[in-house]
Amino acid sequence: MQLFPVAYAERKSVLPKNIFLSVIYILVLLLVAVAAISFFSAWKITHPNKVTTPQISSNIAPDYNNISFTVGESKEKINGWFFPYSGSKKTVLMVHGYGKNRLQFEEQTFPLIASLNKEGFNVMTFDLRGSGNSSGSMSTFGRNETSDVLSGIKYLNQKSTEQIILMGFSTGASSCLSALTQTPYRDSIIGVIADSPYSNIDDYIDYIVESSTLLPAIPFKPAVKFAVKKISKIDNSLDIISKVPFIIPTPILLIDGAQDIPGTSDNTKLIYEVYKRKSPVQAHYWNSGAAEYGESYLSAQDKYIDQVIDFSNECVEEAKKSAQK
């Protein structure tokens, strides 16, 4: 019987290859999970729940009229209130911040409005797109909001307002400053009151992301920030610091607090410092000492109202002097 030799082939281990593929699959799954969670978080940030305007009884609010106007190519409807002072042609246009509505401080806003009324100012306050009772669902941190302010300025000019003071909070503050540089009705704007504006949009989006999500900073913060900017289509063209030369020489009052949040307080002070260096007109800056961002009014209401009234009356006097020259 003939015996044939049997050849034995060494079996190569597939374990390293399987481990490598498993690691790749896990990394891909993690990346997909991070991307999905980041996009979902960014969507919630750019589409905040609307804070609807409550029914207000006449005993806590000054007399007002409902107003509305349209914005954008799609003619989205903006709704608001107009608090008149009989015969006055000077109006404070009040613009709320992110996640708020026409009553920036809810019912606590009325003492501020009433104080301006007593000084002879009309007050107009409205819900930005995606807020309150206005159309839309998205916040764009100044892109659409600036257009809303521009439409509000146009509305007032068509209603025979001759002097406008823009007053905004947070996103609304930066939108007012940006609108000032774009409006064809620039001559009617005699001053801007900006409470906690951002000087550059990146710092502000950092703050919004940090304060709106409990996700770990790494790896989520950069991913969420990227998604927020893409969804809302914002870029550095919204930076206010680059617009300061075009804001000058309109008088401004910048309001800030002493909050320990990176970037937010420094943003407001930076606008003041640049304006002060470049403008022949005095810039006004008041730090309330508030411990929380955007809460200067709530922390020192009487002093806040005094600052606003003094500045507003000063703007009227300066406008009168300029008209007499």
Side-chain angles (χ1 to χ4, degrees), residues 80-311:
W81 288 331
F82 187 83
F83 300 84
Y85 182 88
S86 181
S88 177
K89 293 189 175 182
K90 54 186 182 181
T91 301
V92 175
L93 177 58
M94 202 172 285
V95 186
H96 67 82
Y98 169 77
K100 303 286 187 175
N101 62 17
R102 69 188 74 173
L103 293 176
Q104 172 71 23
F105 306 107
E106 300 179 344
E107 293 180 4
Q108 287 298 311
T109 313
F110 289 127
L112 175 59
I113 294 171
S115 296
L116 287 164
N117 268 168
K118 288 178 182 177
E119 292 295 319
F121 292 92
N122 308 306
V123 178
M124 188 173 101
T125 179
F126 63 91
D127 299 326
L128 294 162
R129 267 181 286 181
S131 304
N133 298 337
S134 290
S135 300
S137 60
M138 184 166 69
S139 176
T140 60
F141 311 103
R143 182 170 60 83
N144 286 344
E145 291 78 2
T146 296
S147 297
D148 297 348
V149 177
L150 289 168
S151 295
I153 295 169
K154 180 180 179 180
Y155 175 87
L156 285 175
N157 273 271
Q158 292 174 339
K159 296 296 181 180
S160 301
T161 288
E162 295 177 357
Q163 296 178 324
I164 299 172
I165 294 176
L166 301 177
M167 182 176 186
F169 309 90
S170 186
T171 295
S174 296
S175 298
C176 285
L177 292 169
S178 183
L180 174 68
T181 68
Q182 302 177 38
T183 179
Y185 303 101
R186 175 73 180 259
D187 290 345
S188 67
I189 298 174
I190 62 173
V192 181
I193 302 168
D195 183 340
S196 306
Y198 57 76
S199 66
N200 74 74
I201 189 65
D202 272 350
D203 284 351
Y204 186 59
I205 298 301
D206 281 340
Y207 163 70
I208 291 294
V209 170
E210 288 173 2
S211 60
S212 301
T213 178
L214 298 177
L215 295 171
I218 302 298
F220 289 103
K221 180 182 173 181
V224 174
K225 180 179 179 180
F226 176 81
V228 165
K229 296 179 75 172
K230 289 299 180 183
I231 292 171
S232 55
K233 298 179 181 178
I234 58 176
D235 55 34
N236 291 340
S237 65
L238 291 179
D239 289 353
I240 298 302
I241 198 65
S242 61
K243 295 180 172 68
V244 171
F246 306 101
I247 293 169
I248 294 167
T250 301
I252 60 172
L253 167 61
L254 293 160
I255 298 174
D256 200 6
Q259 65 279 353
D260 186 22
I261 300 175
T264 53
S265 184
D266 291 343
N267 269 245
T268 304
K269 191 67 177 290
L270 180 60
I271 296 172
Y272 167 70
E273 294 292 348
V274 173
Y275 186 102
K276 185 174 67 172
R277 289 199 304 266
K278 294 179 177 291
S279 177
V281 176
Q282 180 184 0
H284 298 258
Y285 174 80
W286 178 59
N287 191 305
S288 67
E292 299 294 331
Y293 175 67
E295 293 198 356
S296 292
Y297 178 74
L298 296 177
S299 68
Q301 184 172 310
D302 291 341
K303 290 182 179 180
Y304 190 105
I305 290 174
D306 287 344
Q307 291 286 330
V308 168
I309 295 299
D310 289 347
F311 175 78

Side-chain angles (χ1 to χ4, degrees), residues 64-68 80-82 102 155:
Y64 66 88
N65 303 314
N66 292 312
I67 59 100
S68 64
W81 288 331
F82 187 83
R102 69 188 74 173
Y155 175 87

Side-chain angles (χ1 to χ4, degrees), residues 13-83:
S13 174
V14 296
L15 185 59
K17 181 179 179 181
N18 288 340
I19 292 175
F20 176 76
L21 291 175
S22 297
V23 170
I24 294 298
Y25 291 150
I26 292 171
L27 289 175
V28 170
L29 288 174
L30 286 174
L31 286 173
V32 170
V34 168
I37 294 170
S38 297
F39 179 83
F40 177 73
S41 298
W43 185 264
K44 289 183 65 177
I45 289 171
T46 55
H47 295 75
N49 293 329
K50 284 188 174 184
V51 180
T52 56
T53 306
Q55 294 293 323
I56 301 298
S57 61
S58 58
N59 64 328
I60 64 170
D63 292 337
Y64 66 88
N65 303 314
N66 292 312
I67 59 100
S68 64
F69 52 91
T70 58
V71 296
E73 295 179 359
S74 59
K75 300 297 181 182
E76 292 178 286
K77 189 176 181 181
I78 297 292
N79 293 304
W81 288 331
F82 187 83
F83 300 84

